[in-house]
Amino acid sequence: MPDNLIFRLPPTFETVEEERRHRKERLAAALRIFGRFGFEEGVAGHITARDPELSDHFWVNPFGMSFKHVRVSDLILVNHEGKVVEGRYHVNEAAFAIHSQVHQARPGVVAAAHSHSVHGRALSALGQIIEPITQDSCAFYQDNALFDDYTGVVTDLEEGKRIAAALGGNKAAVLRNHGLLTVGDTVDAAAWWFITMERSAQVQLLAKAAGQVVPIEPDNAALTHQQIGNDLVGWINYQPLHDQIVREQPDLFE
């Protein structure tokens, strides 16, 4: 076997500036991918990336801009008070209320993704979480939670704290009557968990509508989670999508 086969791993950086630029590029690309998959619902939905130097600040998509149009230069930097300290646009108030509290509660989280995707909303209306009924859904086995409440659009930091508390140490949460939330140690991982969670929600809804679901045995679900449920595997799974959007839409780097 050749000893020069390519196997990509998450990059490392020599400077904060390099890492910041990388996170912003991945964030813009992830937003484009979310746009392609139809995860937009008006102005709802956001992905955040913690700044590598100012750890209580995060980069996020501008309020009111289509996921499909976001460029690196459009991203805004928001501080711990919800003020835009870099960029030309306003911040989505719900993005700050939710993401600021998630980032504060989980120092190891680099990125968080939330959107009102169709099947995520349908699952949330049932008050269900992702169940271990397929190999892919086992990535969330005992690793996704339910925020079992709904009180309106999240604009209150206390509500954001309650969402962060419900998320706990999990990679994902279903926000009842609202949508999905995922986190990761890279933008790539957080985005991938959202994408595959949305698809797992779709499969779960279809399967339960069709008949009696056969769940995966707990021991096998736990083993599969160990195999496919870590952030490195999430990062790896995401790379084909990133490569595709970059090749097709290089203007996102502007």
Side-chain angles (χ1 to χ4, degrees):
M1 178 179 293
D3 58 6
N4 61 344
L5 296 180
I6 295 173
F7 186 83
R8 288 182 292 177
L9 291 170
T12 56
F13 306 94
E14 294 185 1
T15 67
V16 169
E17 290 75 19
E18 288 179 0
E19 187 168 10
R20 178 179 293 118
R21 177 68 190 188
H22 175 81
R23 290 187 185 183
K24 292 172 68 177
E25 289 178 351
R26 306 307 269 207
L27 179 54
L31 290 159
R32 294 287 185 102
I33 291 170
F34 274 34
R36 169 168 289 181
F37 285 158
F39 293 164
E40 291 183 285
E41 187 71 15
V43 298
H46 13 85
I47 309 176
T48 53
R50 190 190 303 271
D51 187 81
E53 181 179 18
L54 305 170
S55 60
D56 61 351
H57 291 46
F58 58 77
W59 296 91
V60 65
N61 47 301
F63 178 72
M65 180 177 291
S66 171
F67 289 169
K68 296 176 182 178
H69 298 160
V70 175
R71 302 167 299 173
V72 170
S73 60
D74 295 320
L75 298 173
I76 58 176
L77 180 64
V78 180
N79 69 12
H80 65 285
E81 297 177 339
K83 306 297 184 183
V84 176
V85 297
E86 187 172 331
R88 300 168 293 163
Y89 301 94
H90 289 280
V91 62
N92 185 315
E93 194 172 351
F96 176 71
I98 297 173
H99 289 248
S100 65
Q101 300 310 302
V102 169
H103 281 288
Q104 182 175 317
R106 296 279 297 276
V109 162
V110 167
H114 166 65
S115 187
H116 299 179
S117 54
V118 172
H119 300 99
R121 278 185 288 168
L123 189 70
S124 78
L126 298 174
Q128 297 181 4
I129 62 172
I130 300 297
E131 300 173 8
I133 61 173
T134 69
Q135 175 173 299
D136 299 299
S137 67
C138 285
F140 300 97
Y141 180 65
Q142 296 184 339
D143 203 7
N144 74 130
L146 176 66
F147 177 63
D148 196 12
D149 194 11
Y150 180 80
T151 59
V153 177
V154 182
T155 58
D156 185 352
L157 289 181
E158 290 304 315
E159 186 81 345
K161 288 179 181 178
R162 294 202 302 127
I163 290 173
L167 174 66
N170 299 296
K171 69 158 65 76
V174 177
L175 312 183
R176 202 194 74 202
N177 306 110
H178 189 170
L180 308 179
L181 172 69
T182 60
V183 298
D185 65 6
T186 60
V187 172
D188 303 49
W192 173 253
W193 296 136
F194 190 97
I195 292 164
T196 193
M197 190 180 192
E198 165 69 8
R199 288 172 168 169
S200 293
Q202 181 179 8
V203 170
Q204 186 166 313
L205 293 163
L206 287 170
K208 288 190 172 185
Q212 183 66 40
V213 172
V214 179
I216 295 173
E217 293 292 333
D219 287 350
N220 291 328
L223 173 61
T224 308
H225 177 268
Q226 292 177 7
Q227 295 168 328
I228 68 171
N230 64 75
D231 277 352
L232 176 58
V233 174
W235 185 93
I236 291 169
N237 271 305
Y238 179 77
Q239 298 316 297
L241 293 173
H242 178 79
D243 293 345
Q244 182 182 44
I245 205 73
V246 166
R247 180 168 295 185
E248 295 177 358
Q249 300 181 26
D251 65 298
L252 69 89
F253 292 121
E254 296 175 2

